[in-house]
Amino acid sequence: MQPYELSLSAAADLIQARQLSPVELADSVLERVEQVEPHLQAYVTVTAEHTRRAARQAGNDIAAGRYRGPLHGIPMGLKDLIDVAGAATSASSRVRADHRAQADSTVAARLSAAGAVLVGKTHTHEFAYGLTTPQTGNAWDTGRVAGGSSGGSAVAVAAGTATFALGTDTGGSIRVPAALNGVVGLKPTYGLVPRHGVTSLSWSLDHAGPITRTAEDAALVLTALAGHDPRDPASLATPGTDYRPAPDADLTGLRVGVPRNYYFDHVDEEVEAAVRRAIDQLRALGARLVEVEIPMTRYIHATQWGLMVPEATAYHENTLRTVPELYQTDVRVLLEAGELMPAGDYLRAQRARTLMRQEWARMLQEVDLIAAPSVPATAVKAGQETITWADGTVEGVSDAYVRLSSPANITGVPSLSVPIGHDAADMPIGMQLLGRPLGESVLLRAGHAYERTQPARELARAA
């Protein structure tokens, strides 16, 4: 096994034991970048010189006894919405072609303090306003979509060009690409991870979180990221927590909610079968399955778009009026549509969200987590605009991908996507675990317990 193939946890153990140096790991990852990046296009920019310099410094610090913890010397990618002092934050857009960050975002600063080593900035669907990341190829088949908007981050982790990465999630933009590329994606509780210095799409729905190869890796990154920051008005005043699950934890007594509605409606047969097998595995690990009714499902789609569209347009108000030609057509159309949305519709979406949060809180009193598909279908072919379901219903690709992930953004509850297998075309399938606010430890415990029953994952085929 080459160093770039290691999970974060495995690499950290070797680095701490002085059996692998940060320089060896960084060199392996950068060689991997040279090999696969030309056809994957996961990165906006690769900071190879900085990467090697930071890896050397990490090695020197560790040799001198200044080991900072499991992220020390670990190569990472950051979605190109996340500010790093002196580096470009383009949001994969010509609108931001000349923008350079003046200071680190909170998440970049916390990862740097933990000793993580930046490999580069990863592609996003322009300004995170989409679910495909069209410039990036899926890590298993470059002729298929990577998912979005954190497609570059998910592909980098799946391909071995980053040991972990950060993404953002407004309607599923961490979990969708994670599921489509066969890696783990965690959308934390709203406000748990500060967003200061992260370009916004929709401030009341935006989250930042990790994309990794295992649930344990996600726990390590979340431990470094979580915590209050007064510069983010939504930031929660939570104490520091070590989210790493116990290595031998089982699921005895855990109540797993299985939706009887919504989450298995208009879902590909192979996806549904794989998710139900994974749920059965949770039961075999000691969990108790409980049927649940997802509340207010008829309002989910309208509430998501009713909140996101006007907030995104407000953020882009100045540049939309001064340089509209610099936006990609799909994003410009959505932003212009936001100018036409009545204020009353936005207020109704806010009220619906409040009611939905209350109903979800009641539902989650009955169970410890909910298990469901992450997305209703695996990665579609690049350029495909619709999905036709078995009953003849035709649905837009973006609407389909966001449908199962957006409830967690509207309600603010944590959601973890874990890979659970592949379909007949060898494309990854993901299972989504949703929990109570600040219930990340429960989700990570369940994800880790499930992973321990599965064969070791290989890197993506297309890479």
Side-chain angles (χ1 to χ4, degrees):
M1 177 178 286
Q2 298 299 313
Y4 70 80
E5 300 177 83
L6 294 167
S7 69
L8 191 166
S9 305
D13 288 344
L14 291 174
I15 287 173
Q16 185 178 20
R18 312 286 179 90
Q19 296 175 12
L20 175 70
S21 76
V23 171
E24 291 171 327
L25 179 56
D27 283 344
S28 180
V29 168
L30 290 173
E31 288 172 7
R32 182 67 170 170
V33 169
E34 292 180 4
Q35 177 188 1
V36 303
E37 180 60 16
H39 63 272
L40 289 178
Q41 296 295 301
Y43 284 94
V44 178
T45 183
V46 175
T47 57
E49 183 178 341
H50 164 84
T51 304
R52 291 191 171 95
R53 183 169 61 251
R56 286 195 297 270
Q57 184 62 55
N60 292 339
D61 287 345
I62 293 168
R66 296 188 294 270
Y67 180 65
R68 302 184 196 177
L71 301 191
H72 204 170
I74 302 296
M76 66 174 176
L78 295 178
K79 184 177 183 178
D80 200 27
L81 300 180
I82 298 171
D83 281 352
V84 174
T89 305
S90 74
S92 294
S93 176
R94 293 180 297 169
V95 176
R96 286 278 193 92
D98 299 322
H99 176 81
R100 287 193 172 270
Q102 299 301 305
D104 280 345
S105 59
T106 302
V107 290
R110 289 180 177 178
L111 293 174
S112 178
V117 173
L118 180 67
V119 176
K121 304 294 283 294
T122 58
H123 268 303
T124 172
H125 202 117
E126 185 179 35
F127 282 107
Y129 214 169
L131 273 296
T132 60
T133 317
Q135 61 273 62
T136 302
N138 188 284
W140 288 84
D141 179 350
T142 56
R144 295 177 183 260
V145 298
S149 61
S150 306
S153 289
V155 169
V157 174
T161 58
T163 304
F164 77 93
L166 288 198
T168 64
D169 193 311
T170 304
S173 290
I174 287 173
R175 292 158 291 152
V176 170
L180 299 185
N181 288 279
V183 290
V184 171
L186 173 63
K187 183 205 79 66
T189 300
Y190 183 72
L192 180 62
V193 175
R195 302 163 303 171
H196 173 74
V198 179
T199 302
S200 177
L201 172 59
S202 173
W203 55 81
S204 73
L205 298 168
D206 291 340
H207 304 66
I211 296 176
T212 60
R213 295 192 195 135
T214 70
E216 182 180 12
D217 291 356
L220 294 175
V221 180
L222 182 63
T223 298
L225 295 176
H228 181 62
D229 180 355
R231 296 171 295 182
D232 179 354
S235 181
L236 299 174
T238 55
T241 301
D242 184 350
Y243 290 96
R244 182 186 285 200
D248 57 350
D250 65 17
L251 304 184
T252 300
L254 192 74
R255 297 170 300 168
V256 173
V258 181
R260 65 169 66 97
N261 66 323
Y262 191 73
Y263 277 100
F264 290 100
D265 299 341
H266 287 146
V267 170
D268 178 84
E269 290 181 0
E270 290 185 89
V271 171
E272 178 172 355
V275 172
R276 292 198 184 278
R277 285 194 300 271
I279 292 172
D280 284 342
Q281 183 61 53
L282 297 179
R283 177 168 54 185
L285 290 165
R288 179 163 62 91
L289 305 187
V290 180
E291 276 200 348
V292 294
E293 184 83 13
I294 305 300
M296 299 182 64
T297 58
R298 63 182 293 190
Y299 301 105
I300 289 171
H301 184 81
T303 302
Q304 173 70 25
W305 289 97
L307 294 167
M308 182 172 66
V309 171
E311 290 182 0
T313 298
Y315 183 86
H316 288 271
E317 182 177 9
N318 291 334
T319 48
L320 185 61
R321 293 178 180 176
T322 56
V323 289
E325 70 281 359
L326 296 184
Y327 288 94
Q328 296 296 320
T329 301
D330 63 328
V331 172
R332 188 180 72 246
V333 168
L334 286 170
L335 292 173
E336 289 172 346
E339 295 188 308
L340 305 176
M341 183 171 286
D345 286 354
Y346 178 63
L347 294 175
R348 279 185 282 274
Q350 294 279 16
R351 294 190 188 107
R353 172 168 52 193
T354 299
L355 293 173
M356 208 174 296
R357 283 176 171 169
Q358 293 171 350
E359 292 301 314
W360 271 67
R362 293 190 186 98
M363 175 180 61
L364 287 167
Q365 290 176 356
E366 303 172 11
V367 295
D368 300 300
L369 59 85
I370 293 169
S374 298
V375 287
T378 56
V380 301
K381 293 181 179 179
Q384 182 176 332
E385 296 183 355
T386 61
I387 297 173
T388 302
W389 299 112
D391 64 358
T393 300
V394 178
E395 186 175 22
V397 168
S398 291
D399 286 342
Y401 283 160
V402 78
R403 173 162 44 90
L404 304 188
S405 53
S406 62
N409 297 85
I410 297 169
T411 59
V413 302
S415 176
L416 176 74
S417 179
V418 294
I420 57 169
H422 293 73
D423 66 9
D426 203 24
M427 299 307 296
I429 298 171
M431 176 174 64
Q432 180 180 195
L433 304 176
L434 304 102
R436 299 171 189 155
L438 300 179
E440 281 79 2
S441 293
V442 176
L443 302 185
L444 292 163
R445 171 189 161 205
H448 178 61
Y450 172 81
E451 288 174 340
R452 284 173 32 232
T453 69
Q454 304 303 302
R457 299 190 194 113
E458 298 180 355
L459 290 186
R461 183 184 62 198

